[in-house]
Amino acid sequence: YTDRREDQSFPINPALNFNSNAKDQGYQVEGQYLFKDQYINVITGGGAYRIDARNIQSCHGGFCPPVLQKQPPVNFTRERENAYFYSNLNYHEKISTTLGVSYDSFKDITDLTFNAFNPKFGLQWNLTEALRLRLAWFEATKSALIANQSLEPTQVAGFNQMFDDPNGTRSRRMGAGLDNHFSQNIYGGIEISERDLRVPLASGSMALSAVEKQQERLYRSYLYWTPHAHWAISGEFQFEQYLRDASVVNNDTNKPYRIHTLSAPFTVNYFHPSGIFGKFDTTYIHQNIKRLPQSSLIDGNDGFVLFDAALGYRLPIEEAS
C-alpha cells in the first residue's frame, strides 16, 4: 500500500511558472509459484494493482493564458492485472533455454487501455568451459509499480527487461553477449542490444495525445577481478544511442531527437570477514544531445565525473546445527 504525493515547479521565466501536483494512493498484490526439477525449472505468477490518482496543473504569472490559470483537477485510476510463465530448460548440459510469456491488462491516465501478450526467449550456451554465448528476444510492458518492486523475473538470459520508462511503454529488446573466464579470478565480456519502444505521451488533461516511437542501442563491455578473497574490482565501458521519432519531435522542437551517452564506471569493493564492507567507485560520463535547428535551446556536449563511497556492516548469520 502506498500514499505518494509529488509537487513540481517549472519556472519558464521570472513572470511565468507552471506547477504540477500529483497524488497516487493504492495497493499492489502479487503471488508466485516456483518449481524445480533436474532438467526444468518454472516460475509462474501474477498480480494486480489499483491506484487512485489525481493530477492538478496550474500556471502563475502575468503571461499565463486564462485557460491554464483555473484548470480543474483530473482524477483517474491506474489498474493492472498481469500473469506470467517462465520455463528454464536444461536438457543439454551446455545449453540453457528460457521460454516464457506474460500477459498484461493495463489501464492508465484517462484513456490509455490495452491488453498485451509479451513473449520471452533466452539462450545461454557454454561454447567452451570458459566462454558463454547469451541471446535474448523479448517484449515487455512498463507498469506503474507503486513501490518500484515486483516478483516477476527482471532479466532474460542476463538482459534486463524492466526500465524506468513512462507508464504503459511497450518495448521489444534483442541482445547478444559473450562472457568469458580469462582465469580463475578474472571474468569479462561484451554485450550488444537494441530496444524498440512505443511510449504513450499524455496531455495536460492526462489524456493520451500521441504514441511516440523511440529506439535505444546499447554497447557494453565489462571486466571483473577478484585479486584477493577480501577484494573485488570491476570496470565497465558503456555507450548508449537514443533516437526519437522526428515527426513527434516536430511538435515540441525543444526536445532532443538524439542523445549519445558514454559512461565508464570503475569500482573497488572490500569485504572483511568480521562483516565490515566498503565500496568506492568513480564514473566518467560524457553526453551529446542534438535538437532540431528551429529549437530555442542549443545542442549539448559535455562530460563530468561522479564519485561514490559506501561503508557498511553485514550482520552475521547463524548456521543451523
Side-chain angles (χ1 to χ4, degrees):
Y1 174 82
T2 188
D3 187 341
R4 174 183 175 181
R5 301 166 190 266
E6 181 178 295
D7 299 321
Q8 292 183 319
S9 179
F10 306 94
I12 306 301
N13 55 53
L16 182 60
N17 189 74
F18 285 94
N19 294 321
S20 175
N21 308 100
K23 177 184 177 181
D24 286 350
Q25 187 177 38
Y27 64 86
Q28 178 179 347
V29 179
E30 295 192 34
Q32 188 178 89
Y33 174 75
L34 307 176
F35 172 81
K36 185 176 182 180
D37 201 357
Q38 180 179 0
Y39 299 111
I40 183 174
N41 65 71
V42 173
I43 304 173
T44 184
Y49 65 66
R50 179 184 173 91
I51 307 169
D52 295 323
R54 167 174 286 201
N55 186 276
I56 303 175
Q57 295 188 357
S58 59
C59 176
H60 301 280
F63 294 97
C64 287
V67 67
L68 296 180
Q69 295 179 11
K70 298 180 180 180
Q71 288 196 87
V74 180
N75 298 301
F76 58 97
T77 303
R78 307 184 197 272
E79 294 182 13
R80 182 202 188 204
E81 292 83 35
N82 77 303
Y84 54 85
F85 176 87
Y86 293 82
S87 63
N88 297 299
L89 310 176
N90 304 285
Y91 291 104
H92 194 284
E93 62 178 2
K94 294 185 177 181
I95 299 177
S96 175
T97 305
T98 300
L99 297 174
V101 65
S102 67
Y103 170 78
D104 286 281
S105 177
F106 188 86
K107 178 181 179 181
D108 207 312
I109 55 180
T110 59
D111 58 349
L112 177 60
T113 304
F114 62 82
N115 300 316
F117 284 94
N118 303 306
K120 321 283 184 179
F121 170 77
L123 176 70
Q124 300 183 71
W125 183 6
N126 294 328
L127 302 176
T128 67
E129 292 186 358
L131 186 64
R132 170 178 289 185
L133 171 67
R134 293 184 292 112
L135 300 173
W137 184 97
F138 52 82
E139 296 180 354
T141 301
K142 170 59 171 65
S143 67
L145 301 176
I146 60 177
N148 284 326
Q149 298 181 15
S150 176
L151 294 179
E152 184 176 354
T154 60
Q155 56 84 25
V156 176
F159 290 91
N160 184 32
Q161 64 172 346
M162 296 188 179
F163 292 80
D164 192 19
D165 300 316
N167 296 335
T169 297
R170 302 288 312 281
S171 64
R172 175 182 296 162
R173 189 177 190 189
M174 301 158 283
L178 279 174
D179 307 317
N180 190 60
H181 279 280
F182 297 100
S183 68
Q184 183 178 358
N185 300 324
I186 300 178
Y187 173 87
I190 57 174
E191 191 177 279
I192 301 174
S193 67
E194 179 177 294
R195 279 208 315 152
D196 296 320
L197 300 92
R198 287 173 288 171
V199 181
L201 303 179
S203 64
S205 60
M206 301 308 296
L208 182 64
S209 62
V211 176
E212 179 181 288
K213 293 182 180 179
Q214 300 178 5
Q215 187 178 71
E216 297 176 358
R217 295 190 182 99
L218 182 65
Y219 308 89
R220 178 171 170 256
S221 63
Y222 43 91
L223 187 67
Y224 307 128
W225 179 34
T226 54
H228 188 270
H230 299 170
W231 293 89
I233 300 173
S234 66
E236 295 187 26
F237 181 88
Q238 182 171 292
F239 180 66
E240 180 182 359
Q241 295 177 318
Y242 166 81
L243 298 171
R244 301 176 63 208
D245 186 356
S247 62
V248 179
V249 176
N250 285 329
N251 297 328
D252 187 349
T253 57
N254 287 330
K255 290 184 178 181
Y257 67 88
R258 193 193 76 182
I259 302 176
H260 288 178
T261 304
L262 169 68
S263 60
F266 177 79
T267 306
V268 178
N269 295 276
Y270 175 74
F271 306 93
H272 193 270
S274 65
I276 296 175
F277 64 88
K279 181 183 78 169
F280 173 81
D281 65 71
T282 176
T283 304
Y284 171 73
I285 297 177
H286 186 274
Q287 195 168 65
N288 179 272
I289 297 176
K290 290 292 185 181
R291 294 183 172 90
L292 296 176
Q294 59 269 35
S295 172
S296 62
L297 302 176
I298 62 173
D299 294 340
N301 188 10
D302 200 1
F304 56 92
V305 179
L306 299 175
F307 295 96
D308 297 280
L311 182 64
Y313 176 72
R314 185 179 64 254
L315 297 174
I317 300 176
E318 295 185 5
E319 296 183 0
S321 58

